[in-house]
Amino acid sequence: MVRQRVLPALVLGVALWWLAGLEVWVYLAVLPLFAMGGAAEFYHLLHRAGHRPAWLLGLVGAVLLAVSPALGAQAAFHVLAVGSFLALCWATWRYPRGEGLLDWFSTLAPPLYVGGLLGYFLLLRQLPAGDYWVRTVFLCTWAADITAFLVGRRWGHTKLAPLLSPHKTWEGAVGGLLAAGSAGAALGLVWPVAGWPAWQLGSLGLLIGGAALVGDLCESFLKRQLGAKDSSRLLLGHGGLLDRLDSLLAAGMVAYYYVAGVGR
């Protein structure tokens, strides 16, 4: 169990750590792949639960939202407005044969959730020392995730959210938060960035750890609502792509607002 969870995360971690240091154009090539893969898994769960979203339209929307920070200040607005109307047209056409309004909502949810939140990694990369901040998100999120799992497995007794994620414990959650904060502070000491003392990076790490936990629970909520244990079997015994992105999606958003706000 430990090997099944930790080893794939380490392999994926090394690959993403390397990709994080590359130029913005690489992000524009890689983010659409993650957006399309994550949204496709979400649509598969919705379809299996009996919903009939306009999945092809949603995949295009997810890709465009993920790269919208590079397309101009108003790009996301146009994607949302036009995409919402086209999805409404789909739901209206399907009304005699389906659930109409639910088809509309289920079309919009995957691109907003997956593509919209992935776009924050492009925003982070476009900040000064952007590759550093993306790597900080990765490091602190993985530190929180792995430590929470190990601490919860060894010392966890108090259930955190039994209806959403039966194996998560308060002990593991606290351990994960402390690990994320420590990872951020350690990064600030070993690899400092101008104008950011170690304690500030430790604070960022705590926020990332908290966001990662909430993101994980939110994806668990989606899966429970749709009657699924994993988003897919893409990563063999390690769940699907969305199962690996859930924590990062929330963490990237929180990190962007912290770094952009404090950096000013």
Side-chain angles (χ1 to χ4, degrees):
M1 180 68 175
V2 175
R3 178 180 300 177
Q4 198 176 50
R5 183 178 180 89
V6 174
L7 289 183
L10 289 175
V11 173
L12 181 62
V14 170
L16 290 179
W17 184 271
W18 174 71
L19 286 171
L22 300 180
E23 298 299 322
V24 171
W25 69 265
V26 178
Y27 284 66
L28 295 176
V30 173
L31 283 178
L33 300 179
F34 282 100
M36 190 174 294
E41 289 184 348
F42 197 166
Y43 280 125
H44 174 71
L45 296 180
L46 287 165
H47 195 276
R48 197 170 65 179
H51 301 287
R52 295 297 178 266
W55 60 269
L56 185 58
L57 172 64
L59 291 180
V60 174
V63 168
L64 290 176
L65 283 175
V67 300
S68 61
L71 301 179
Q74 298 181 352
F77 166 79
H78 292 300
V79 172
L80 290 173
V82 175
S84 295
F85 179 71
L86 292 177
L88 181 59
C89 292
W90 162 262
T92 302
W93 178 73
R94 269 196 53 81
Y95 175 65
R97 297 181 295 279
E99 295 181 310
L101 197 60
L102 288 178
D103 290 337
W104 185 35
F105 292 157
S106 61
T107 298
L108 298 177
L112 288 173
Y113 173 51
V114 183
L117 292 181
L118 275 174
Y120 281 100
F121 283 94
L122 187 54
L123 287 172
L124 268 177
R125 183 61 183 86
Q126 291 174 333
L127 292 174
D131 59 327
Y132 183 93
W133 301 120
V134 174
R135 283 172 166 161
T136 301
V137 172
F138 289 160
L139 177 66
C140 295
T141 300
W142 293 328
D145 183 48
I146 294 173
T147 304
F149 171 73
L150 295 176
V151 170
R153 182 181 175 88
R154 176 65 179 83
W155 293 288
H157 299 290
T158 311
K159 299 297 183 182
L160 176 65
L163 295 180
L164 293 178
S165 188
H167 299 297
K168 282 188 172 55
T169 64
W170 279 103
E171 293 83 357
V174 172
L177 285 173
L178 293 176
S182 299
L187 185 65
L189 292 172
V190 176
W191 187 13
V193 62
W196 287 78
W199 69 265
Q200 214 164 47
L201 282 164
S203 300
L204 174 59
L206 286 172
L207 288 174
I208 290 172
L213 175 61
V214 173
D216 194 329
L217 290 174
C218 287
E219 198 238 359
S220 294
F221 161 75
L222 294 174
K223 290 187 294 186
R224 295 296 176 269
Q225 288 287 294
L226 297 173
K229 181 179 182 295
D230 295 318
S231 61
S232 76
R233 298 180 180 178
L234 179 66
L235 303 178
L236 301 177
H238 209 53
L241 179 62
L242 199 55
D243 295 317
R244 304 277 60 82
L245 288 178
D246 54 5
S247 298
L248 289 169
L249 291 175
M253 175 185 64
V254 169
Y256 170 75
Y257 286 119
Y258 183 86
V259 174
V262 174
R264 291 175 182 173

